[in-house]
Amino acid sequence: MQLTSFIEANHQSILKGWVEFAGSMLPWAEGSSEKELLDHAKELLVAVVDDMKSPQTKLRQSAKSKGQTADGTLARVGKKHASDRLESGLSLKQLVSEFRALRTSVLQQWEKSKGSETGEVTRFNEAIDETLATSICRYTEIVDHTREQFLAILSHDLRSPLGAIIMGANLLKDSEIHDPVKIIHLILGAAERMNRMVSDLLDFTRTRLGAGIPVTKKPMDLASVCLQVIAELQRSHPKTPLCFKPSGDLRGEWDSDRIAQVVSNLVSNALQYGETGKPVGIEVREQGPEILLKVHNEGLPIPETALNTIFMPMARYQAGGKCPDKNSQGLGLGLYIASEIVMSHGGDIDVESNEVSGTTFTVTLPRGQVNPMNQAARRETNGAATQKDAPVLNPG
């Protein structure tokens, strides 16, 4: 007997097995009727048999094996079933288990009818299912962990600047306030901080969903971008000198906004964890087809236990007597996003930290496709920014 004929002849016993398995998924199934547990099982079996009986091209067979078909009765029933189960609270692991149980039930009953207790088809599917189950578990663990991180951010990190905005707005309502400028700056600062957090969260979400951080590469001068970022940060950190030292031809094809984000995140990290008042060094120099960006700060080194996880999301380390969990104004995403941007450009990022030489983050960026220039023209292009390779103190 063909498998399709067997399914049609044993329709009721197969559906009974489906209901029994669905009823075992507690606490989700508790209180559910047989109709609710059955859901689209009848429709699904009919669609499976019809699909098996219909002619199939090699192209469609390949597309189905890769999950690239979104049309037809099977796809329609699958989508409806997934939507209904999701609305009722079934987890992804349970949804996959439901289909696995249906397939196993059909094959086991079919093989028993032929006198085979442990057929090769069943054993093969069991092996695949074991791997699938492990993958699904790991997948859901990551999703659950990411969700918990987001909840922690929303309940803690974003609440602080939001509270400052609310407090400032309430103070401005007081007609006796004679100098509202300070309060306005407080509100603007908190709003800008929230805006940075939201941007970081968007980038974090893109990377966790596998899309990566999008970059649009165009010809640019890295020295000019560094000068702009450093000038902005120096105004908000007047007590710590920012020393910029460019050297050589610093033109390449990169995403200027994203590279500015890398520089800003690295320098901000140095300002936060470096020793107050000690200069933060930013060096950019050419190295053949690549550009090196180094950001250095003095102060207590990064603990060895933190070096291996420094570029992971939500990683915050304690140094210089500062506890980032309490004093940090970021989400612990700055270095992670910087590393993702660098990798999106085909580059690399590393860190060295010890008590003698301090902490240095090094970014290596491929230059990309840039028309070569002779030395004279190169000097003319970079002249104002490089100042003949001399350090620039406190730009802006």
Side-chain angles (χ1 to χ4, degrees):
M1 180 184 291
Q2 290 185 327
L3 181 56
T4 52
S5 301
F6 176 83
I7 294 175
E8 291 174 328
N10 295 272
H11 202 78
Q12 292 303 318
S13 64
I14 293 171
L15 293 178
K16 182 181 178 182
W18 169 287
V19 171
E20 289 177 353
F21 180 81
S24 70
M25 293 190 290
L26 300 175
W28 168 80
E30 188 174 358
S32 299
S33 65
E34 181 176 332
K35 182 180 179 181
E36 290 172 331
L37 295 174
L38 194 61
D39 197 52
H40 299 91
K42 290 182 180 179
E43 199 176 350
L44 176 62
L45 276 182
V46 172
V48 168
V49 171
D50 289 344
D51 182 78
M52 293 173 67
K53 287 183 174 180
S54 63
Q56 179 173 260
T57 64
K58 289 185 177 180
L59 181 61
R60 183 167 179 80
Q61 182 184 30
S62 175
K64 286 169 66 176
S65 68
K66 299 173 183 176
Q68 296 174 349
T69 56
D71 58 343
T73 306
L74 275 175
R76 179 178 57 82
V77 175
K79 290 176 181 178
K80 285 174 59 179
H81 183 68
S83 298
D84 288 352
R85 288 308 203 217
L86 178 62
E87 290 177 3
S88 65
L90 194 71
S91 69
L92 175 61
K93 291 186 288 185
Q94 290 172 324
L95 178 66
V96 173
S97 297
E98 198 174 30
F99 281 97
R100 289 174 54 204
L102 175 63
R103 182 177 60 185
T104 301
S105 176
V106 170
L107 292 177
Q108 284 180 343
Q109 291 186 45
W110 183 50
E111 288 173 346
K112 285 181 180 179
S113 71
K114 299 192 303 179
S116 173
E117 293 292 334
T118 55
E120 289 184 337
V121 174
T122 299
R123 292 297 302 274
F124 172 77
N125 280 301
E126 287 174 350
I128 295 296
D129 284 348
E130 183 179 352
T131 306
L132 174 63
T134 304
S135 298
I136 291 293
C137 287
R138 179 55 181 161
Y139 181 93
T140 53
E141 284 175 3
I142 294 174
V143 171
D144 290 343
H145 181 61
T146 302
R147 181 175 62 248
E148 290 171 3
Q149 288 176 325
F150 270 83
L151 291 174
I153 290 167
L154 292 174
S155 64
H156 180 266
D157 295 273
L158 284 175
R159 184 174 294 176
S160 177
L162 185 59
I165 292 174
I166 294 172
M167 180 188 69
N170 286 328
L171 288 173
L172 287 176
K173 288 169 59 179
D174 189 347
S175 59
E176 296 181 3
I177 299 294
H178 299 292
D179 185 13
V181 176
K182 290 184 178 180
I183 299 176
I184 292 173
H185 282 302
L186 171 68
I187 293 175
L188 286 174
E192 289 172 355
R193 180 179 164 195
M194 288 184 67
N195 186 54
R196 288 194 299 271
M197 288 183 178
V198 171
S199 297
D200 285 350
L201 282 174
L202 289 174
D203 288 338
F204 174 65
T205 303
R206 291 189 185 102
T207 59
R208 299 301 275 188
L209 293 178
I213 293 181
V215 295
T216 303
K217 298 179 182 180
K218 294 180 180 179
M220 57 165 281
D221 183 357
L222 185 54
S224 298
V225 171
C226 288
L227 281 171
Q228 180 181 353
V229 173
I230 293 170
E232 293 172 357
L233 290 173
Q234 186 67 86
R235 282 193 291 269
S236 57
H237 297 83
K239 294 182 179 180
T240 302
L242 301 181
C243 305
F244 180 46
K245 183 179 180 181
S247 175
D249 182 2
L250 302 179
R251 295 172 308 110
E253 285 193 356
W254 308 293
D255 187 319
S256 59
D257 291 336
R258 290 299 188 181
I259 294 300
Q261 196 174 357
V262 172
V263 177
S264 178
N265 287 357
L266 292 180
V267 176
S268 296
N269 182 78
L271 287 167
Q272 179 178 344
Y273 294 105
E275 188 173 344
T276 303
K278 290 289 185 70
V280 171
I282 304 98
E283 179 186 1
V284 188
R285 59 182 170 87
E286 65 174 326
Q287 183 171 281
E290 299 175 330
I291 302 295
L292 290 185
L293 165 66
K294 291 179 176 287
V295 178
H296 173 265
N297 66 268
E298 301 292 339
L300 294 180
I302 301 171
E304 290 187 12
T305 54
L307 285 174
N308 292 332
T309 60
I310 196 70
F311 296 112
M312 293 180 64
M314 310 296 177
R316 291 170 174 173
Y317 60 91
Q318 185 171 353
K322 302 176 182 179
C323 182
D325 289 332
K326 295 181 180 179
N327 299 328
S328 175
Q329 294 190 355
L331 302 174
L333 293 174
L335 295 179
Y336 169 72
I337 290 173
S339 67
E340 290 291 322
I341 294 173
V342 171
M343 286 190 290
S344 295
H345 283 82
D348 191 24
I349 185 169
D350 198 7
V351 59
E352 293 183 359
S353 186
N354 56 67
E355 293 184 0
V356 177
S357 58
T359 300
T360 302
F361 285 87
T362 302
V363 173
T364 304
L365 288 173
R367 191 186 295 272
Q369 300 296 324
V370 179
N371 294 328
M373 295 178 61
N374 58 38
Q375 188 67 19
R378 182 186 305 168
R379 287 286 184 183
E380 182 178 352
T381 301
N382 292 335
T386 61
Q387 296 186 9
K388 295 184 180 181
D389 301 343
V392 177
L393 298 180
N394 300 328

